[in-house]
Amino acid sequence: MTPTPADLAGAVLTIDLVALKDNWRRLNTLAGKAECGAAVKGNGYGLGIEPVAKALWEAGCRSFFVARPKEGEELRKLLPDATIYILDGLFAGQAEFYAKLNLCPALISIEEAQEWAAFGRVYGRKLPCAIHVDTGINRLGFSMAEFDSLLADRFTMRELNVTLLTSHLACADDPPHPLNQRQHDAFAAVRAKLPGVAASLANSSGVFLGDGFTHDLVRPGIALYGGNPTLNVANPMLPVAILEGAVMQLRNVAAGDTVGYGATWTATRPTRIAILGAGYKDGVPRALSSREPHGPAQVFINGHRCPVIGRISMDMMGVDITDLPDGSVKRGTRAEMLGRHIGIDEAASWAGTISYELLTRLGSRYARLYTGLESDRPA
């Protein structure tokens, strides 16, 4: 019998594209009258740009956001008819690259606006673009004063086809934070200076702030992929990434024995352990390594949570299965490290990071299994 990729890999990552599409549809409903786009930068948040983009297109998404022009090139090959925004703006000297691929830069400075306008004059038409105004996060974008200067530069403005005004929320995952309202008000002032142009302010968390933040187009990211868009509230999104490691060996250790590099974990009782074929090469953060007898990091095996013990190494990790019924775990049994029972935000908190980083740093060695893409089904 020919082995499957999952048979030959110690870890298996299953991407549930049905859940991804359901997440987009939920956000689309919450967006109300606004169009619901999708941020697919970073290789679809680490889950694979091709299946992710195709699934979102099948769900009904038509506007996509990437960070870099190279990402835009890859996405254009997959979705010839999509609207594609480049969030990191216009890379110097690359206007022709954007124009040929119909990529829409989110211009972030007067210099970029002037370069885009000048190229449009040579190209023979006003090329579409977004204008990104910084309303309080202090990263990319026009300051309010620079935006006023751009509007006063009639020579540049008359050569721009501005199709979208955009800004980015800093604290949308914390609804009571006062910066949310300040950014809302600042963005309203921006819109008033360029009436009639579509506007986008809401990221994943912003969608949940209500109608005052959704405007004409929302651009969710992490919520699409199963991350929790709001603090201290049960996650309303479905898990999309399910990471499992197979048991390679079972062993018994005596009280006082240590497990793993550095002998950082010591058994306090006779202990049964399972060694899983998953480590930091597979995207399991080394920061999940535990000195504690019972956590905090855990995996899910046969209906039970089991604590991670010792240091996570490149290829493997240990878990304590002493409290599981004898014989319930065998060589080849899979343990969930991320998924339906071990939430991505929970695992990220154990590792001292956030769900974004956990997803985008998932490794490439495991078997990737995609489920739920309609275009892959036989006719």
Side-chain angles (χ1 to χ4, degrees):
M1 178 181 293
T2 303
T4 67
D7 293 329
L8 302 176
V12 177
L13 178 66
T14 302
I15 310 299
D16 186 347
L17 298 175
V18 173
L20 174 68
K21 290 187 279 189
D22 285 347
N23 284 342
W24 182 86
R25 292 184 182 112
R26 172 173 173 73
L27 292 162
N28 184 49
T29 298
L30 286 172
K33 296 180 180 179
E35 178 188 356
C36 186
V40 295
K41 59 185 180 175
N43 191 32
Y45 280 55
L47 300 185
I49 184 61
E50 181 172 355
V52 161
K54 287 181 177 179
L56 290 168
W57 183 268
E58 288 177 0
C61 185
R62 295 296 179 262
S63 294
F64 295 82
F65 295 82
V66 296
R68 309 283 162 75
K70 186 65 177 174
E71 294 177 325
E73 178 185 37
E74 186 175 359
L75 184 58
R76 177 59 71 209
K77 293 176 183 176
L78 299 170
L79 301 178
D81 299 321
T83 301
I84 301 174
Y85 295 93
I86 310 298
L87 292 170
D88 285 2
L90 176 64
F91 280 29
Q94 299 305 317
E96 184 176 7
F97 181 89
Y98 285 65
K100 285 184 175 180
L101 291 172
N102 193 23
L103 304 177
C104 187
L107 303 175
I108 59 175
S109 68
I110 291 176
E111 183 180 12
E112 286 191 4
Q114 291 172 341
E115 182 177 342
W116 191 240
F119 180 78
R121 285 191 290 272
V122 174
Y123 204 65
R125 64 184 178 92
K126 295 181 181 180
L127 297 167
C129 63
I131 299 293
H132 184 153
V133 181
D134 191 306
T135 55
I137 195 171
N138 284 311
R139 297 192 313 179
L140 296 179
F142 286 81
S143 68
M144 300 295 280
E146 289 167 340
F147 180 63
D148 288 341
S149 295
L150 173 65
L151 296 180
D153 183 353
R154 296 181 179 179
F155 180 71
T156 297
M157 283 298 297
R158 70 169 174 249
E159 300 297 335
L160 294 177
N161 176 17
V162 182
T163 60
L164 186 69
L165 280 172
T166 185
S167 190
H168 195 67
L169 294 164
C171 302
D173 59 345
D174 184 10
H177 199 289
L179 185 54
N180 289 322
Q181 189 61 45
R182 292 203 300 270
Q183 287 195 261
H184 170 277
D185 296 345
F187 194 59
V190 168
R191 294 194 70 189
K193 294 176 181 179
L194 206 57
V197 176
S200 177
L201 178 62
N203 52 8
S204 287
S205 301
V207 175
F208 290 81
L209 293 179
D211 294 344
F213 289 82
T214 52
H215 298 295
D216 303 298
L217 172 63
V218 299
R219 46 182 202 278
I222 192 62
L224 291 170
Y225 309 102
N228 193 346
T230 54
L231 294 175
N232 304 317
V233 176
N235 191 351
M237 314 313 298
L238 298 174
V240 174
I242 302 166
L243 182 62
E244 299 170 299
V247 174
M248 298 192 299
Q249 188 175 21
L250 301 171
R251 56 189 313 126
N252 296 306
V253 299
D257 283 353
T258 62
V259 173
Y261 282 124
T264 58
W265 184 89
T266 302
T268 59
R269 60 176 178 171
T271 304
R272 285 189 299 128
I273 66 172
I275 303 300
L276 308 182
Y280 53 76
K281 171 58 181 170
D282 305 292
V284 181
R286 190 172 182 269
L288 290 177
S289 301
S290 180
R291 296 172 178 267
E292 303 296 327
H294 297 288
Q298 300 170 334
V299 302
F300 190 81
I301 308 178
N302 284 351
H304 300 271
R305 285 187 168 215
C306 297
V308 174
I309 59 173
R311 282 187 182 164
I312 291 171
S313 57
M314 183 184 293
D315 310 309
M316 65 194 79
M317 57 190 288
V319 296
D320 183 347
I321 60 167
T322 308
D323 296 330
L324 270 60
D326 289 345
S328 63
V329 177
K330 301 177 181 179
R331 184 165 61 97
T333 297
R334 288 188 189 176
E336 178 191 300
M337 293 165 285
L338 294 175
R340 297 182 178 93
H341 305 96
I342 304 292
I344 189 167
D345 294 278
E346 183 178 28
S349 69
W350 293 334
T353 185
I354 56 175
S355 55
Y356 300 75
E357 184 175 18
L358 216 55
L359 276 182
T360 57
R361 294 186 66 178
L362 287 172
S364 58
R365 182 171 56 177
Y366 41 64
R368 283 192 176 219
L369 307 178
Y370 291 91
T371 62
L373 193 61
E374 294 173 13
S375 58
D376 285 345
R377 295 174 184 169

